[in-house]
Amino acid sequence: MKHFRRYRRFRTSGVTKRIRNSISALLALLCITGCAGGDHGKPIPDDTASGEVTAVPADVGIYSDAYSPGEIMDYFFEVAFGSEYGTSSDRLCRWVSEIHYEIIGDCTESDRELMDYLFETLNSIDGFPGIRAARFGERVNFKIYFVTRDELCEMFEYANEDCTGMSEYSWRTETCEIFEARAAIDCEETYERESTICEEILQSMGIGNDSMSYQNSVFFQGTCLYKRPSSLDIAVVELLYSPALSVGMTKAEAIPVAATALRW
């Protein structure tokens, strides 16, 4: 959910320490087999957040020029497990069947261009089941609304007058497969309009949590003015849909497996 905050605080998770322990054997194996490790150096500022970021080809592993593998892992486990509001499965939830969306309400041409970019990016991710506009008579499983702030509050139990957007998805209890979702954006919003569209659509893919860790992320819980997802945001979604991971995994199960999907 995107909403305004009058304060900012930053937090980091303890996942990195657990990741290092989990992948130590993997790194040792790489050294034994003669694979030289590169010098990643210090993370550089992500200057792609205001532009377009494309997904990384699957054969080279998931990575970001601006963030280390450990930072990607930390952020993934921070936003992809659990939920900011309502019920959470505490397991990895994602779509496994093709998504058929419908856009409802008063959106602009710029809104549609942004959503087309998001859909194109999602469709380029390895393991993603695909997303397209629903055809006539076809069942819609993802509805995207552009409504007033008052209507948004009526639609969602946890929405309030500070919300610029909100989304939710439904999953099957036995498998954690997402089968239905909806997102709503305040049609009168101008200040955070682009970042709100990005956040609510990407969160509908299985990213249940907001975060205070990165201001240039569309999942940032405070004010975010970036008009496109950052390379870190894209890497998180790529990791969510990586074939290395299985839907329904717990965090403990996912940590050692997710490490193998990254480029170290």
Side-chain angles (χ1 to χ4, degrees), residues 56-243:
V56 176
D59 59 345
V60 299
I62 298 168
Y63 73 96
S64 165
D65 289 334
Y67 299 92
S68 69
E71 288 173 315
I72 295 173
M73 291 283 282
D74 264 356
Y75 203 48
F76 171 73
F77 285 105
E78 184 178 356
V79 299
F81 283 80
S83 176
E84 183 183 9
Y85 297 101
T87 304
S88 167
S89 71
D90 290 323
R91 293 175 177 268
L92 189 147
C93 292
R94 67 187 185 190
W95 294 83
V96 297
S97 301
E98 190 175 52
I99 304 167
H100 304 151
Y101 69 84
E102 179 183 7
I103 300 171
I104 303 165
D106 187 18
C107 70
T108 67
E109 184 62 31
S110 294
D111 295 337
R112 289 187 178 274
E113 290 176 0
L114 174 55
M115 288 186 285
D116 286 344
Y117 158 70
L118 294 172
F119 299 147
E120 181 180 354
T121 301
L122 287 169
N123 282 327
S124 71
I125 291 175
D126 186 42
F128 187 75
I131 183 169
R132 62 172 174 80
R135 301 187 180 99
F136 179 77
E138 194 170 37
R139 180 182 177 274
V140 176
N141 53 16
F142 181 30
K143 294 183 178 180
I144 305 168
Y145 296 89
F146 286 81
V147 295
T148 66
R149 191 78 60 96
D150 289 340
E151 291 173 321
L152 192 154
C153 290
E154 292 176 359
M155 291 173 63
F156 293 89
E157 177 183 357
Y158 296 98
N160 57 54
E161 61 183 11
D162 292 328
C163 293
T164 60
M166 200 161 194
S167 58
E168 64 182 12
Y169 53 82
S170 300
W171 68 90
R172 304 190 191 283
T173 306
E174 302 82 4
T175 62
C176 295
E177 298 172 0
I178 300 175
F179 63 90
E180 191 172 63
R182 60 176 183 156
I185 294 93
D186 178 4
C187 63
E188 298 172 346
E189 170 64 27
T190 57
Y191 193 56
E192 289 188 285
R193 190 181 187 96
E194 290 90 349
S195 66
T196 299
I197 292 172
C198 292
E199 178 187 19
E200 304 311 338
I201 287 179
L202 293 183
Q203 286 197 322
S204 298
M205 300 301 104
I207 306 294
N209 263 331
D210 284 352
S211 168
M212 295 297 288
S213 296
Y214 296 95
Q215 289 179 287
N216 64 336
S217 168
V218 296
F219 306 128
F220 185 64
Q221 195 169 15
T223 301
C224 177
L225 301 181
Y226 289 86
K227 300 180 184 296
R228 295 290 189 276
S230 69
S231 62
L232 179 60
D233 295 332
I234 298 300
V236 163
V237 180
E238 288 181 302
L239 194 51
L240 175 64
Y241 282 91
S242 169

Side-chain angles (χ1 to χ4, degrees), residues 243-256:
L245 295 174
S246 299
V247 63
M249 275 185 166
T250 64
K251 185 181 292 188
E253 292 170 335
I255 287 175

